[in-house]
Amino acid sequence: MGFKEAYDVETVSPVGTDRGSGEKHVYADDPAVPAETFTYGDSTYAKIQRFAGRFNIEQRGIERVPEDERTDTSLVNVGTMWCAANMVVSSFAIGALAVPVFDLGFVDSLLAIFFFNILAILPVCFFSTFGPRFGLRQMVLSRFYFGFYGVKIIAFFNVLACVGWSSVNVIVGAQLLNAVNSSVPGWAGIIIIAAATFFVTLFGYKVVHAYEYWSWIPCFIVFLIVLGEFAHSGQFSNLPMNVGGSEAGSILSFAASVFGFGTGWTSYAADYTVYQPANSSRRKVFAWTFAGLIFPLCFTEMLGLAIATATIANPDYQNGYTDAGIGGLLGAVLLPPLGRFGQFCLVVLALSIIANNCPNIYSVTFSLQVMGRWTQAVPRFIWTFVGTVVYCAIAIPGYNDFAEVLEDFMLLIGYWLAIYEGVALTEHFVFKRGYLGYDVSIYNSASKLPVGIAAVTAFCFGIFGAVMGMSQHWFIGPIGVHIGDPAYGGDIGFELAFAFTAVSYLGFRFVEFRYFKR
């Protein structure tokens, strides 16, 4: 019996036929699926799940978590999860972009980092409160906004984001390892980081949380060392803020990078709170998520900004950044005064990519499972392996050949998050009018969920808004070009994508609901 035969999607439960009775074990009265259901029967699916269970690998995929299995009572886990995922060299790199790429001053960049990070993480905090309430993964929850079939479009974009950013991140980590020891080729560094990430995500929710609970601490210590050495060097420069249209364009474009990085976790948010008890305080979940995000994002990005100011007057910092990017910039701070210990610090930062990629590779499995009946019938941990192989296959050739092209592509598809938020938040507050508007029992019923026509149409309007307002080095939208210097423009793609989506969705959804009554 294959995977497809082993899964009854209509009852939301993996099923198998016991040889003795010929009965199928299902839980049709309850939309939640108890853990023991995954191992019933003699199907291939059940056998693989039983084998995984021997090693305490999480067997659950996109099935709703029963309330009696939501036993993760530690709210600290919520905060440290996001703290570890963002106390990484990737977020440091975002802050460093302000000076060499956007030609900004120190104070204006500092303010942009602070305020746009707050704006970026609010949706992540908000949707994190849905996990305990409903026991549903974020992509499954999205069926209430985009419909059973429309959500597949969202899942596709989320798969691109998960795999693509994992590739970009692991290339950065491999470059750092290579900078420390040139005998470690790029492909080897990629495999080292990817294998460690796979090992953590393979075991699922509990191990991911356990790893993230501790992994931010050594990274934080290293960043404190970086801060101390840089402060001692006296190379900081309080660059003045520019004025006029060019300043406005640059600050909006930098803010788009900050916002895109922070809000990127929105499409995963509920995945990391589904095992929290249903009676968990929504305010506390929100607050712990907020704290776990705002601290590492602001700290690392502001540190990256401060160090980047030295590239203006110090040739060693400038050459380091020009020759080896962020790794060269960090090397200019750590290696001259600390020598081999500085190299050790760079290795720690390279391995921080594991914590950064864990949410990507853990959550990509749920996006894949909502794609169709057969994808849901493939166990979560198998999709974890597939996702790892795919992003390694992208990253290894990309290490030397198209890393910049890959990063440009990821920045481009990042606008979809504003579109997602425009639909989801509008549906929640205007049409569902809060948590009580959700009937969780229909989460797997295509005939009872929203049709999705309004959401998909609004999604197209959002793409149009993003194109109109974007400002990338290879394309400037017709509205973005009028902000600041026409040669560079100003990026308001996220703002226009959200606005176009939310406004159009209001009208289309009203018509859809009047006609279909759901």
Side-chain angles (χ1 to χ4, degrees):
M1 188 177 292
F3 286 130
K4 191 179 293 186
E5 296 167 286
Y7 212 92
D8 185 346
V9 176
E10 292 304 316
T11 59
V12 207
S13 303
V15 301
T17 302
D18 285 345
R19 286 185 177 136
S21 63
E23 295 179 354
K24 286 185 175 180
H25 298 270
V26 297
Y27 291 79
D29 296 332
D30 187 350
V33 182
E36 63 267 20
T37 309
F38 300 109
T39 60
Y40 283 151
D42 62 350
S43 65
T44 303
Y45 178 90
K47 291 176 181 177
I48 293 174
Q49 290 283 24
R50 283 197 292 270
F51 178 78
R54 296 175 188 172
F55 303 96
N56 293 320
I57 293 174
E58 183 186 11
Q59 298 160 314
R60 185 178 303 280
I62 60 173
E63 301 81 15
R64 184 177 179 232
V65 182
E67 291 191 17
D68 62 353
E69 293 182 24
R70 300 182 208 168
T71 57
D72 180 12
T73 58
S74 172
L75 287 170
V76 177
N77 279 345
V78 178
T80 54
M81 170 71 214
W82 297 116
C83 184
N86 292 280
M87 187 68 71
V88 294
V89 70
S90 300
S91 52
F92 174 91
I94 294 293
L97 294 175
V99 177
V101 175
F102 297 105
D103 195 28
L104 292 170
F106 179 71
V107 174
D108 48 342
S109 301
L110 201 73
L111 293 173
I113 287 172
F114 181 71
F115 287 108
F116 278 91
N117 266 316
I118 290 177
L119 187 64
I121 66 176
L122 289 178
V124 189
C125 302
F126 177 66
F127 286 112
S128 291
T129 66
F130 283 64
R133 177 85 176 192
F134 300 121
L136 293 174
R137 311 287 186 173
Q138 189 68 39
M139 281 296 105
V140 181
L141 178 69
S142 301
R143 289 174 175 172
F144 289 96
Y145 314 131
F146 291 86
F148 188 87
Y149 299 105
V151 78
K152 299 177 193 299
I153 299 174
I154 300 304
F156 174 75
F157 276 90
N158 203 39
V159 169
L160 289 181
C162 291
V163 173
W165 278 120
S166 294
S167 303
V168 172
N169 293 338
V170 80
I171 288 173
V172 173
Q175 288 172 338
L176 274 173
L177 291 176
N178 181 259
V180 173
N181 185 351
S182 59
S183 64
V184 180
W187 63 265
I190 288 169
I191 291 176
I192 290 169
I193 295 172
T197 305
F198 169 72
F199 182 77
V200 175
T201 55
L202 171 68
F203 289 92
Y205 181 95
K206 290 183 179 180
V207 175
V208 169
H209 272 284
Y211 179 81
E212 306 286 52
Y213 188 91
W214 299 104
S215 67
W216 67 275
I217 297 175
C219 297
F220 180 51
I221 293 172
V222 170
F223 278 126
L224 287 178
I225 293 171
V226 172
L227 173 61
E229 288 297 334
F230 181 69
H232 185 262
S233 72
Q235 298 301 319
F236 170 73
S237 176
N238 188 6
L239 301 177
M241 180 174 65
N242 297 316
V243 295
S246 61
E247 167 71 8
S250 295
I251 203 71
L252 284 170
S253 296
F254 175 61
S257 298
V258 172
F259 179 86
F261 187 87
T263 207
W265 305 115
T266 302
S267 56
Y268 314 162
D271 296 353
Y272 301 95
T273 54
V274 289
Y275 287 97
Q276 290 278 328
N279 61 357
S280 298
S281 167
R282 292 199 296 271
R283 287 190 179 91
K284 290 181 179 178
V285 171
F286 187 101
W288 275 100
T289 305
F290 185 87
L293 285 164
I294 197 66
F295 167 61
L297 285 171
C298 285
F299 174 70
T300 55
E301 290 175 11
M302 289 177 180
L303 179 59
L305 164 65
I307 294 175
T309 64
T311 61
I312 299 300
N314 188 304
D316 292 334
Y317 283 75
Q318 177 62 55
N319 293 336
Y321 182 78
T322 302
D323 296 340
I326 293 302
L329 187 61
L330 286 166
V333 177
L334 293 173
L335 297 182
L338 299 180
R340 288 191 175 275
F341 181 70
Q343 292 179 333
F344 171 77
C345 291
L346 289 180
V347 171
V348 172
L349 293 181
L351 296 179
S352 73
I353 297 299
I354 299 170
N356 195 201
N357 273 355
C358 276
N360 293 331
I361 300 307
Y362 180 69
S363 290
V364 72
T365 61
F366 310 124
S367 294
L368 288 164
Q369 286 192 328
V370 301
M371 288 289 193
R373 183 182 182 121
W374 76 270
T375 60
Q376 186 179 354
V378 177
R380 176 203 64 81
F381 44 86
I382 292 179
W383 282 126
T384 300
F385 176 74
V386 172
T388 301
V389 171
V390 170
Y391 86 78
C392 285
I394 295 172
I396 289 174
Y399 182 85
N400 292 317
D401 297 333
F402 61 95
E404 291 186 8
V405 174
L406 180 62
E407 188 163 0
D408 287 343
F409 174 72
M410 296 314 303
L411 291 173
L412 172 64
I413 70 167
Y415 294 110
W416 84 272
L417 290 160
I419 300 173
Y420 175 84
E421 292 163 2
V423 170
L425 294 175
T426 304
E427 175 69 23
H428 177 82
F429 288 106
V430 178
F431 296 98
K432 287 193 167 44
R433 300 181 182 179
Y435 296 94
L436 296 179
Y438 295 80
D439 179 2
V440 73
S441 67
I442 67 170
Y443 82 90
N444 207 47
S445 177
S447 62
K448 296 178 181 179
L449 288 163
V451 178
I453 296 174
V456 172
T457 307
F459 189 91
C460 296
F461 274 77
I463 293 174
F464 177 74
V467 172
M468 295 290 287
M470 71 169 53
S471 176
Q472 301 292 334
H473 67 82
W474 47 269
F475 178 79
I476 303 176
I479 295 179
V481 74
H482 293 293
I483 301 173
D485 187 339
Y488 303 101
D491 197 325
I492 55 171
F494 280 101
E495 294 90 334
L496 290 185
F498 181 88
F500 277 48
T501 302
V503 172
S504 62
Y505 184 72
L506 276 171
F508 292 129
R509 179 65 171 132
F510 178 77
V511 174
E512 180 186 86
F513 187 79
R514 286 284 299 270
Y515 186 81
F516 293 100
K517 307 298 182 185
R518 54 189 172 101

